[in-house]
Amino acid sequence: MRIVVLGKTSPMIDLSHLRADFPILHQQVHGEPLVYFDNAASSQKPRAVIQELTRYYEQDNANVHRGLHELSNRATDTFEAARKKVARFIGAANTHEVIFTRGTTESINLVANVWANQYLKAGDVILYTGMEHHSNLVPWQLAAKRSGAVVKHIPVLDDGTLDLSLLDSLLTEQVKIFTCVHVSNSLGTINPVRELCAKARALGITTLVDGAQAVGHLPVNVQEIGCDFYAFSGHKMCAPTGIGGLWGRAEKLAAMQPWHGGGEMIEVVTLETSSYKAAPARFEAGTPDIAGVIGLGAAVDYLEKVGIDTIHQHGRELTAYALQCMAELPGIHILGPQSERGALVAFHLACAHPHDLVEFANTHGLALRGGHHCTQPLMKRFKVPGTSRASFYFYNTTAEVDRMMDILHRAVKFFS
Amino acid sequence: MRIVVLGKTSPMIDLSHLRADFPILHQQVHGEPLVYFDNAASSQKPRAVIQELTRYYEQDNANVHRGLHELSNRATDTFEAARKKVARFIGAANTHEVIFTRGTTESINLVANVWANQYLKAGDVILYTGMEHHSNLVPWQLAAKRSGAVVKHIPVLDDGTLDLSLLDSLLTEQVKIFTCVHVSNSLGTINPVRELCAKARALGITTLVDGAQAVGHLPVNVQEIGCDFYAFSGHKMCAPTGIGGLWGRAEKLAAMQPWHGGGEMIEVVTLETSSYKAAPARFEAGTPDIAGVIGLGAAVDYLEKVGIDTIHQHGRELTAYALQCMAELPGIHILGPQSERGALVAFHLACAHPHDLVEFANTHGLALRGGHHCTQPLMKRFKVPGTSRASFYFYNTTAEVDRMMDILHRAVKFFS
Amino acid sequence: MALSDDLRDLYQQVILDHSKSPRNHGQLTCDCVHVHGDNPSCGDEIDVYVKFSDDGSIADIKFDGQGCAISQASASMMTVKVKGSSRTKVNTLMQDFRSTVMGEGSIQDEDALGELQLLEGVQKFPQRVKCAMLGWRALEQAIQQAEEAKC
Amino acid sequence: MALSDDLRDLYQQVILDHSKSPRNHGQLTCDCVHVHGDNPSCGDEIDVYVKFSDDGSIADIKFDGQGCAISQASASMMTVKVKGSSRTKVNTLMQDFRSTVMGEGSIQDEDALGELQLLEGVQKFPQRVKCAMLGWRALEQAIQQAEEAKC
Ligand SMILES: Cc1ncc(COP(=O)(O)O)c(C=O)c1O
Ligand SMILES: Cc1ncc(COP(=O)(O)O)c(C=O)c1O
């Protein structure tokens, strides 16, 4: 057993007692205890969240907003209470600034459709970075095609950070929107979104931050960040699949046209034309994922109980520990910054293609992810066919990292 | 106790034993047993579906499609198996024709954006009907605004059916898309979608059917209907909230551009441009509502066990019974056709505004819905400020209709 | 099956009476401010017609429209109360009435409310607050319009 | 920690050997058909170069590219097997190999498959079928191109 010494004096935060809250973690896979290190793809759900879904369906289920009967009232109250919780959790000034979506991808697409269709014109520049997830590239490429705007990007340096020396030459008057991932899901890089957004906003540029890997992992306060839009996914922060959010600055949302049309987003409908409610209702056409929203509320409750600072600190320590262990592996190429990073390590082993390595790991109960992680441009940038990625959450332990190391050492032997 | 005599010879289908499968039904509301007659807004969920969600989260939860590890493989298999189930349930020729969405509203918006933006031009006609849900009006009004197309509608007759005498004059060469609700959520009318789509298709007109109130309530076979698109919601057919589908004819989908951009819908992404997968992946950007899809699969399993013909027959009988009872109420105005209709009755009592009536009902444990039911144009058409609506599902009983009648009689006394 | 106390409070006899036989029902034609108000989500509509005296007090008021018992009764009771009242009195009444149906804030002049206090049952039915406020919102707008016209 | 049997089957020594030291690796330059194949979702890429004889048999074949052990080994073993073979033989081989890795359909000529049979371990890993087929799909396309060029 490896001995945990971090910074030598302060012992690591131990959250292993929380594992009892996660039923899925206590299973064998291929005859060995599951080690779930694919949290950047999707987190596991605590019993509190799963039970809240059951409670909702067994006691309160009904359509929201439109009813005057008891179940509908209860559902609506819990639904809107969840919006308040989420708003507070991300530091929104106003509950009405939180729009529920399926997740980060839909949130970004909302802005890349509604906002972009209203404001982008031919010749305008959309600025993103070289480390964006496909979900923050493709919507803008599509928006560029529709509007005649062009896409540009801030390149990524060898150490996995943005090449900010180019910032002033890239962040010009032509730029209408700047969008940036908060925490990279492939590199772990934590981008200086606050500074970037301040620069952009000073030039009157609208800003969006992709917070898929940030919310629920480190303290997020949209007002401090100073962006105009912030997108995130519930399923990566202990909430059910299929729910997420878009935070939008009130004055931006107020100027935006509807996107989806349908029930709940309207005021008056005739057979010829219609008028629309204000945000958030304006952007939530149709029956929402009621249970998903309520589950997201329960996830926020759970995370707040654990403490977002604790979660953040645990992630840093576990990642530092993993980085230190993994450096020993022969032929390893670890992507991303050496120090400050999100709780994930993507790497490439000279001896094994990621898919072979992940397959090998899987037969030992270790869940890694192998591939491009929806960041194909980054794979090209770092000249790797893909990477293997271990991504952690607060319920992961150093003992699990030790087990990963054993398995990786065996893999090296097997494939070399 | 009322005695049930229907058609005099054949006794009514009794599915009351299935109530044991629905935990939510066994509760008191305001001291009286809940009578849930708001099924057209959202159905309740059987234990089999709720437990499948729990099972998924406690055993298999992981992101789909991208993983090579055990949980991800399991999640992906169950997810894609659900797509097969849904495809079979609605009679799709091909599993790839089923796209998962949040529900009917998103499904319609997908077509009213992607298809409409590609094919509609100024002067084209979008033909819908006077009994469409807002979700099948507003997206087309928005599409018309973008394209310069105009919207027209088939009017509704006093008996709640479409005025088909105008069909030939309305279904002209200028019409590019015809869209129609299968079962009206306000009138109960079951439209002759098969005949309507045949006429439209003969003229080369693309067709969409809004099946929100049809799937899971009566047998639906998209190939027999002969439409090009068919939209539906899971939450109205025993599935979780937040999930639904769009069926699209393979050749229509094949010609359609992407809508949302992001992970999973792409083939190759560079920092400048991207190429896309074929349907359904093309239209499912980002992490889907995995548990929702799996829950929808479980709902289909459950409904198939009960039997869709049985459900349909039960709905007809219970509605006939309710109609017969309600006719006695003084000052009642029942909307919609007298005979063949979906399992719902919307009505207006001369003595009480729908909101007062629904409030009254609620304090007796009876969940009705009052208002415009997202069909404001219909309310205008029938000169009512709104209606009260009782909508049934297979777990409802004649005894519950009897309780409703008692409550309605009391309400008449109270408000007169 | 006992009728719940809350419901009895909501629909007291006086309220039902006002909704069935609304006072000051109809339209004013000449020289008045007309405001149309609605709650689109529930379909309630109201038209309020107000004739102001030179000192800003309410010389005459009528309303019509359609809606639930609460919105109709509240509007009816409102017209009775405000007819002939000074601007200041109307403002206090409006604030006190809002506090009454919302169940929050303090009441400055309980006596002035009179019958309107019967609508405090709405507190237990938060979704109905906007019904009770419909007529009042229209009156508020009418006063604003009258003031703007003066400027 | 025992290495699972399934995994041992998937990565037999011969397969690992082929993936580490691929046969017929490189490019053909003159007078050959070149096909680029990829599995975008996993990033595997392959370039297959085929020189056909006048009778349609495969005179020479080489490949390069990058990808997992399965895709590389499968392509390497493929080149060894098909070099010098007639069109008919290649077609049978291709069908038999597909049946082998998919675990469905019948095998017409088991002997001809030889070493390729070792890849039947892929059956247990359905996600890897497309890795095993990558080189073969490229070859199939090369044959099609050659035929179209003749027409
Ligand atoms: C006929 C009809 N169409 C569309 C919808 C919209 O469905 P959803 O809200 O699930 O998107 C509904 C239900 O509200 C409906 O009844
Ligand atoms: C950085 C980043 N952005 C966007 C996404 C897309 O999130 P989702 O798939 O939940 O829409 C992800 C996760 O896959 C991500 O890691």
Side-chain angles (χ1 to χ4, degrees):
Chain A
M1 198 58 177
R2 209 173 287 273
I3 288 150
V4 183
V5 192
L6 256 178
K8 302 237 153 76
T9 50
S10 62
M12 256 182 81
I13 291 181
D14 181 7
L15 299 177
S16 58
H17 58 285
L18 297 176
R19 295 176 65 79
D21 297 341
F22 292 80
I24 202 170
L25 298 177
H26 313 282
Q27 67 177 293
Q28 306 276 106
V29 164
H30 293 298
E32 315 221 11
L34 167 69
V35 174
Y36 185 78
F37 278 177
D38 194 18
N39 293 286
S42 202
S43 81
Q44 296 305 342
K45 324 300 174 200
R47 194 173 280 111
V49 169
I50 303 172
Q51 284 179 345
E52 176 61 9
L53 295 179
T54 300
R55 190 204 61 72
Y56 167 73
Y57 283 127
E58 293 193 351
Q59 295 177 19
D60 294 353
N61 177 65
N63 213 325
V64 288
H65 298 138
R66 296 178 229 172
L68 286 166
H69 60 78
E70 176 71 12
L71 298 189
S72 179
N73 291 343
R74 280 192 230 149
T76 304
D77 290 349
T78 326
F79 182 91
E80 289 302 331
R83 198 190 302 274
K84 275 216 189 79
K85 288 177 194 176
V86 169
R88 197 191 51 226
F89 191 59
I90 61 170
N94 189 321
T95 302
H96 292 308
E97 295 176 327
V98 174
I99 297 161
F100 290 122
T101 65
R102 184 164 36 244
T104 306
T105 302
E106 189 182 14
S107 297
I108 295 171
N109 276 277
L110 195 164
V111 182
N113 275 269
V114 180
W115 184 92
N117 288 354
Q118 269 174 259
Y119 297 106
L120 284 187
K121 46 182 203 316
D124 287 346
V125 172
I126 298 165
L127 185 64
Y128 43 55
T129 86
M131 65 171 86
E132 297 310 311
H133 188 278
H134 293 164
S135 290
N136 204 22
L137 292 174
V138 184
W140 300 110
Q141 294 174 355
L142 292 169
K145 220 173 174 185
R146 285 193 302 272
S147 61
V150 295
V151 291
K152 294 193 178 174
H153 69 275
I154 306 179
V156 177
L157 294 170
D158 286 343
D159 71 354
T161 63
L162 292 174
D163 186 352
L164 295 179
S165 72
L166 296 176
L167 191 61
D168 287 336
S169 63
L170 283 167
L171 214 56
T172 63
E173 299 244 299
Q174 277 72 50
V175 177
K176 287 285 144 23
I177 180 139
F178 168 65
T179 176
C180 179
V181 68
H182 194 163
V183 179
S184 159
N185 66 309
S186 280
L187 303 171
T189 316
I190 302 177
N191 285 310
V193 284
R194 186 178 172 160
E195 291 71 23
L196 291 168
C197 289
K199 271 214 157 170
R201 276 174 65 79
L203 296 169
I205 297 166
T206 299
T207 54
L208 182 149
V209 174
D210 169 358
Q213 299 291 342
V215 179
H217 295 257
L218 42 85
V220 168
N221 184 305
V222 291
Q223 293 186 77
E224 277 174 21
I225 292 169
C227 52
D228 294 306
F229 299 103
Y230 195 97
F232 60 98
S233 298
H235 70 96
K236 296 184 199 277
M237 49 177 282
C238 292
T241 58
I243 194 68
L246 173 70
W247 171 84
R249 195 176 284 281
E251 60 261 35
K252 292 278 174 189
L253 294 180
M256 278 160 62
Q257 294 300 312
W259 187 25
H260 298 198
E264 284 318 296
M265 53 74 76
I266 54 87
E267 284 204 320
V268 178
V269 178
T270 71
L271 286 169
E272 291 76 33
T273 183
S274 305
S275 60
Y276 315 108
K277 289 203 182 113
R282 166 172 294 210
F283 301 107
E284 293 179 351
T287 303
D289 183 358
I290 305 163
V293 167
I294 290 172
L296 177 58
V300 168
D301 286 343
Y302 182 87
L303 293 174
E304 287 190 329
K305 230 174 53 194
V306 178
I308 191 69
D309 291 318
T310 305
I311 292 170
H312 187 202
Q313 185 58 21
H314 173 274
R316 293 162 78 164
E317 293 179 356
L318 194 61
T319 307
Y321 177 67
L323 277 171
Q324 173 192 314
C325 299
M326 292 167 80
E328 305 168 0
L329 284 164
I332 195 167
H333 169 193
I334 293 178
L335 278 73
Q338 276 310 302
S339 57
E340 193 58 25
R341 59 149 76 205
L344 60 91
V345 183
F347 60 98
H348 186 64
L349 288 180
C351 64
H353 187 276
H355 285 171
D356 298 317
L357 185 66
V358 167
E359 198 85 81
F360 184 96
N362 181 46
T363 61
H364 293 89
L366 169 62
L368 298 177
R369 187 150 294 236
H372 52 61
H373 315 292
C374 294
T375 54
Q376 288 180 8
L378 264 187
M379 301 300 108
K380 275 233 178 71
R381 162 69 183 79
F382 286 100
K383 297 197 180 61
V384 284
T387 66
S388 305
R389 182 183 70 187
S391 55
F392 316 118
Y393 212 8
F394 56 87
Y395 40 70
N396 291 126
T397 65
T398 50
E400 289 184 308
V401 172
D402 294 339
R403 276 210 50 223
M404 172 177 77
M405 290 312 302
D406 281 342
I407 295 166
L408 291 181
H409 278 294
R410 285 164 147 266
V412 170
K413 225 178 284 161
F414 184 75
F415 287 111
S416 292
Chain B
M1 197 60 176
R2 210 172 288 274
I3 289 151
V4 184
V5 191
L6 256 175
K8 301 233 150 83
T9 50
S10 61
M12 258 183 79
I13 292 182
D14 180 7
L15 299 177
S16 57
H17 58 286
L18 297 177
R19 294 176 66 80
D21 296 342
F22 292 80
I24 201 169
L25 298 178
H26 312 282
Q27 67 178 293
Q28 306 276 107
V29 164
H30 293 298
E32 315 221 14
L34 167 68
V35 174
Y36 185 76
F37 279 176
D38 194 18
N39 293 287
S42 203
S43 80
Q44 297 305 341
K45 323 301 174 199
R47 195 172 279 113
V49 169
I50 304 171
Q51 285 180 344
E52 176 61 9
L53 296 178
T54 301
R55 190 204 62 72
Y56 167 73
Y57 283 126
E58 292 195 349
Q59 296 177 18
D60 294 351
N61 176 64
N63 214 324
V64 288
H65 297 139
R66 298 178 227 173
L68 285 165
H69 60 77
E70 175 70 12
L71 298 189
S72 179
N73 291 342
R74 280 192 231 150
T76 305
D77 289 348
T78 325
F79 182 91
E80 289 302 332
R83 198 190 302 275
K84 275 214 189 80
K85 288 177 194 178
V86 170
R88 198 192 49 226
F89 191 59
I90 61 169
N94 189 322
T95 303
H96 292 308
E97 294 175 330
V98 174
I99 297 160
F100 290 121
T101 65
R102 185 166 33 246
T104 306
T105 302
E106 190 183 14
S107 297
I108 295 171
N109 276 278
L110 196 164
V111 182
N113 275 270
V114 181
W115 184 91
N117 289 353
Q118 268 175 262
Y119 297 106
L120 284 186
K121 44 182 206 320
D124 287 346
V125 172
I126 298 165
L127 184 64
Y128 43 55
T129 86
M131 65 172 84
E132 298 309 312
H133 188 278
H134 293 164
S135 290
N136 204 23
L137 293 174
V138 184
W140 300 110
Q141 294 174 355
L142 292 169
K145 221 172 173 184
R146 285 193 303 273
S147 61
V150 295
V151 290
K152 295 194 177 172
H153 69 275
I154 306 178
V156 177
L157 295 170
D158 286 343
D159 71 353
T161 62
L162 292 174
D163 186 352
L164 296 180
S165 72
L166 295 176
L167 191 61
D168 287 335
S169 63
L170 283 167
L171 213 55
T172 63
E173 299 244 297
Q174 277 73 51
V175 177
K176 286 285 144 23
I177 180 140
F178 168 66
T179 175
C180 179
V181 68
H182 194 162
V183 179
S184 159
N185 67 310
S186 280
L187 302 171
T189 316
I190 303 177
N191 285 310
V193 285
R194 187 178 171 160
E195 291 69 25
L196 291 168
C197 289
K199 270 212 157 169
R201 278 173 63 79
L203 295 169
I205 298 166
T206 299
T207 54
L208 181 149
V209 174
D210 169 355
Q213 298 292 343
V215 179
H217 295 257
L218 43 85
V220 168
N221 184 304
V222 292
Q223 292 186 78
E224 277 175 19
I225 292 170
C227 53
D228 294 305
F229 299 103
Y230 194 97
F232 61 97
S233 298
H235 70 96
K236 295 184 199 279
M237 50 177 280
C238 292
T241 58
I243 195 68
L246 173 69
W247 171 83
R249 194 175 285 280
E251 59 262 34
K252 292 280 173 187
L253 293 180
M256 278 160 62
Q257 294 299 313
W259 187 23
H260 299 197
E264 284 317 297
M265 53 74 76
I266 54 86
E267 284 205 322
V268 178
V269 177
T270 71
L271 286 169
E272 292 76 34
T273 184
S274 305
S275 61
Y276 314 108
K277 289 201 183 115
R282 164 172 296 210
F283 302 107
E284 293 179 354
T287 303
D289 183 357
I290 304 164
V293 167
I294 290 171
L296 178 58
V300 168
D301 286 343
Y302 182 86
L303 293 174
E304 286 189 328
K305 229 175 53 197
V306 178
I308 191 68
D309 290 318
T310 305
I311 292 170
H312 186 201
Q313 184 58 21
H314 173 274
R316 293 161 79 165
E317 293 178 355
L318 194 62
T319 308
Y321 178 66
L323 278 172
Q324 174 193 316
C325 299
M326 292 167 80
E328 302 168 5
L329 285 164
I332 194 165
H333 170 193
I334 293 178
L335 278 72
Q338 276 310 303
S339 55
E340 193 58 26
R341 57 149 76 206
L344 60 91
V345 183
F347 60 98
H348 185 65
L349 287 180
C351 64
H353 188 277
H355 285 170
D356 297 317
L357 186 66
V358 167
E359 198 84 82
F360 184 97
N362 181 46
T363 60
H364 292 88
L366 169 62
L368 297 176
R369 186 149 295 236
H372 53 59
H373 315 293
C374 295
T375 53
Q376 289 181 7
L378 265 187
M379 301 301 108
K380 275 233 177 71
R381 161 68 183 81
F382 286 99
K383 299 196 179 60
V384 285
T387 66
S388 305
R389 183 183 67 188
S391 55
F392 316 117
Y393 211 9
F394 56 87
Y395 39 70
N396 291 128
T397 65
T398 50
E400 288 184 308
V401 171
D402 293 338
R403 278 211 48 226
M404 171 177 78
M405 291 312 302
D406 280 342
I407 295 164
L408 291 181
H409 277 294
R410 283 164 148 267
V412 169
K413 228 178 282 164
F414 185 76
F415 288 110
S416 292
Chain C
M1 258 187 330
L3 194 55
S4 93
D5 290 346
D6 287 349
L7 195 70
R8 270 206 199 292
D9 285 350
L10 183 65
Y11 296 112
Q12 293 185 63
Q13 209 47 56
V14 179
I15 296 172
L16 286 178
D17 180 55
H18 268 278
S19 91
K20 285 173 209 165
S21 325
R23 324 295 195 261
N24 299 304
H25 200 253
Q27 312 183 350
L28 290 178
T29 39
C30 59
D31 201 24
C32 72
V33 182
H34 166 205
V35 169
H36 176 82
D38 61 2
N39 285 331
S41 66
C42 49
D44 287 356
E45 294 186 23
I46 206 159
D47 286 278
V48 172
Y49 305 83
V50 192
K51 186 175 169 144
F52 292 97
S53 308
D54 290 345
D55 64 356
S57 67
I58 291 175
D60 200 3
I61 180 165
K62 279 190 189 281
F63 84 100
D64 63 9
Q66 57 177 15
C68 64
I70 305 302
S71 70
Q72 298 304 300
S74 174
S76 169
M77 291 156 91
M78 172 186 83
T79 59
V80 173
K81 272 287 159 199
V82 301
K83 206 194 294 199
S85 295
S86 70
R87 180 72 47 91
T88 336
K89 235 184 115 186
V90 171
N91 281 344
T92 313
L93 211 53
M94 203 176 291
Q95 280 167 35
D96 285 356
F97 181 70
R98 186 175 277 120
S99 304
T100 304
V101 294
M102 307 272 288
E104 55 186 44
S106 61
I107 309 268
Q108 295 168 57
D109 188 349
E110 209 171 288
D111 292 345
L113 279 174
E115 238 182 30
L116 284 169
Q117 290 184 69
L118 296 174
L119 278 160
E120 78 178 346
V122 171
Q123 284 177 24
K124 295 263 177 58
F125 299 83
Q127 300 224 30
R128 307 304 292 278
V129 169
K130 64 178 186 306
C131 308
M133 292 305 301
L134 181 59
W136 292 87
R137 282 200 292 117
L139 174 60
E140 196 171 20
Q141 240 180 291
I143 293 173
Q144 259 171 32
Q145 276 184 29
E147 263 168 21
E148 278 161 21
K150 266 201 288 193
C151 302
Chain D
M1 259 188 328
L3 192 56
S4 93
D5 290 344
D6 287 348
L7 195 69
R8 270 208 200 290
D9 285 349
L10 184 64
Y11 295 112
Q12 294 186 64
Q13 210 46 57
V14 179
I15 295 171
L16 287 177
D17 179 56
H18 268 277
S19 92
K20 286 172 206 162
S21 327
R23 323 297 194 261
N24 300 305
H25 200 253
Q27 311 184 348
L28 289 180
T29 41
C30 60
D31 201 24
C32 72
V33 182
H34 167 205
V35 169
H36 176 83
D38 60 0
N39 286 329
S41 66
C42 49
D44 288 356
E45 292 186 25
I46 206 161
D47 286 279
V48 171
Y49 306 83
V50 192
K51 186 176 169 145
F52 292 96
S53 308
D54 289 344
D55 64 356
S57 66
I58 291 175
D60 201 1
I61 181 166
K62 279 189 188 283
F63 84 101
D64 63 8
Q66 56 177 15
C68 65
I70 305 303
S71 70
Q72 298 303 299
S74 174
S76 169
M77 291 157 91
M78 171 186 81
T79 58
V80 173
K81 270 289 160 196
V82 300
K83 206 193 297 197
S85 295
S86 70
R87 180 72 48 92
T88 334
K89 236 184 115 184
V90 170
N91 282 343
T92 311
L93 210 53
M94 202 176 289
Q95 280 168 36
D96 283 357
F97 181 70
R98 186 175 278 124
S99 303
T100 303
V101 294
M102 307 270 289
E104 54 187 45
S106 60
I107 310 266
Q108 293 167 60
D109 188 349
E110 209 171 290
D111 291 348
L113 280 174
E115 239 180 30
L116 284 170
Q117 288 185 70
L118 296 174
L119 278 161
E120 79 178 345
V122 170
Q123 285 177 24
K124 295 266 178 56
F125 299 83
Q127 301 224 30
R128 309 305 293 276
V129 169
K130 65 179 186 302
C131 309
M133 292 306 301
L134 181 58
W136 291 87
R137 281 200 292 116
L139 174 60
E140 195 171 19
Q141 239 179 291
I143 293 175
Q144 257 169 33
Q145 275 183 30
E147 263 169 22
E148 278 160 21
K150 265 202 290 189
C151 301

